[in-house]
């Protein structure tokens, strides 16, 4: 299957460069380009892309709000796209908000060409771009630095005791292999538990499981 991509960035040269790079790879097609957040929302509904490369900072409507609108319940397209945020700095005050809005990861604008292509394929495949340990470090940094209103722990009521244990370990940045070792269970069993946690809590991927673990108080910064 061909992965269709929408590129949203206010810099024409950035859009053109990303488009030329992605179109040169088999199995990836650039469906359109947007120069503002509003245009990204409009084109996303019209073109129904698999992946959106979304610049964090854009005029009229920033990438975070555009992400919220595209991933919101009123989104009219046939299926919900995966959104990969583009940022200039690796430590960006907007990154946490972008992930919380539903983005599946972030990528530096100066990433190597092969990193961009890999990111698009990973996100299109349904995985979060960030490795678990990187996700934890980043979210912990923002959770500790920027107090947030905690989510109600009642969201966790449907989880079994084992699934709560798995969610805590996901929040602490453990990979499936590490969770299996910690709990003395098979890695395939861990994958099953992770899938059930994501489904019960209506989470898009592991990144958002980490965010939920912090927001519900299951995991505390530096715990």
């Amino acid at each position: 299957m061909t992965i269709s991509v929408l590129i949203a960035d206010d810099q024409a040269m950035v859009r053109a460069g990303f488009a030329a790079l992605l179109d040169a790879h088999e199995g990836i097609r650039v469906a359109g380009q947007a120069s503002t957040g509003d245009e990204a929302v409009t084109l996303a509904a019209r073109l129904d892309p698999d992946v959106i490369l979304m610049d964090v900072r854009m005029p009229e409507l920033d990438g975070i709000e555009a992400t919220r609108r595209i991933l919101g319940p009123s989104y009219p397209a046939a299926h919900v796209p995966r959104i990969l945020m583009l940022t200039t700095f690796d430590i960006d005050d907007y990154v946490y908000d972008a992930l919380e809005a539903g983005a599946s990861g972030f990528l530096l604008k100066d990433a190597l060409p092969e990193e961009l292509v890999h990111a698009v394929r990973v996100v299109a495949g349904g995985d979060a771009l960030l490795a678990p340990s990187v996700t934890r470090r980043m979210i912990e940094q923002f959770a500790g630095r920027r107090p947030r209103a905690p989510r109600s722990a009642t969201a966790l009521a449907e989880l079994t005791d084992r699934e709560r244990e798995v969610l805590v370990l996901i929040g602490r940045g453990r990979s499936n292999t590490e969770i299996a070792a910690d709990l003395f269970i098979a890695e395939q069993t861990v994958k099953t538990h992770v899938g059930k946690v994501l489904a019960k809590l209506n989470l898009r991927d592991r990144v958002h499981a980490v965010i939920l673990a912090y927001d519900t108080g299951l995991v505390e910064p530096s715990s």
Side-chain angles (χ1 to χ4, degrees):
M1 294 180 60
T2 298
I3 301 169
S4 61
V5 179
L6 171 64
I7 301 172
D9 194 291
D10 62 339
Q11 298 181 48
M13 291 188 66
V14 171
R15 295 196 307 272
F18 282 174
L21 175 63
L22 292 174
D23 273 334
H25 283 77
E26 184 177 357
I28 300 177
R29 175 181 62 86
V30 175
Q33 300 180 34
S35 59
T36 69
D38 281 326
E39 190 176 3
V41 174
T42 299
L43 288 180
R46 183 193 310 164
L47 301 175
D48 197 22
D50 299 306
V51 175
I52 301 175
L53 296 180
M54 182 80 76
D55 187 16
V56 170
R57 298 179 178 88
M58 285 187 291
E60 298 180 20
L61 190 73
D62 66 34
I64 297 170
E65 183 57 33
T67 296
R68 289 194 183 103
R69 295 187 186 184
I70 292 169
L71 299 181
S74 60
Y75 183 73
H79 73 282
V80 179
R82 295 279 174 166
I83 297 183
L84 183 61
M85 305 302 299
L86 299 171
T87 180
T88 305
F89 306 103
D90 57 348
I91 302 299
D92 193 316
D93 285 344
Y94 293 96
V95 167
Y96 187 97
D97 290 331
L99 294 174
E100 194 175 47
S104 293
F106 76 101
L107 187 71
L108 295 177
K109 284 188 178 182
D110 61 356
L112 296 174
E114 57 267 27
E115 291 175 331
L116 172 63
V117 174
H118 172 72
V120 168
R121 295 191 191 281
V122 166
V123 171
D127 294 324
L129 180 64
L130 302 175
S133 59
V134 175
T135 302
R136 180 188 182 247
R137 287 200 305 272
M138 183 189 67
I139 292 175
E140 178 175 290
Q141 174 184 354
F142 290 110
R145 189 168 96 194
R146 302 167 57 197
R148 313 184 70 83
R151 296 192 211 180
S152 172
T154 57
L156 308 175
E158 293 188 27
L159 300 183
T160 66
D161 290 342
R162 176 63 87 188
E163 288 164 355
R164 285 175 69 97
E165 286 181 305
V166 169
L167 178 56
V168 168
L169 293 173
I170 292 174
R172 291 176 178 167
R174 301 287 200 276
S175 66
N176 285 351
T177 301
E178 291 168 335
I179 293 174
D182 288 343
L183 299 180
F184 302 101
I185 58 179
E187 188 170 346
Q188 185 58 49
T189 303
V190 174
K191 292 180 181 178
T192 299
H193 286 314
V194 171
K196 289 181 178 179
V197 167
L198 297 182
K200 287 183 177 181
L201 299 179
N202 195 29
L203 300 172
R204 293 173 62 80
D205 48 45
R206 292 177 81 106
V207 171
H208 300 103
V210 175
I211 292 173
L212 183 70
Y214 276 95
D215 285 351
T216 55
L218 275 181
V219 178
E220 298 290 338
S222 299
S223 66

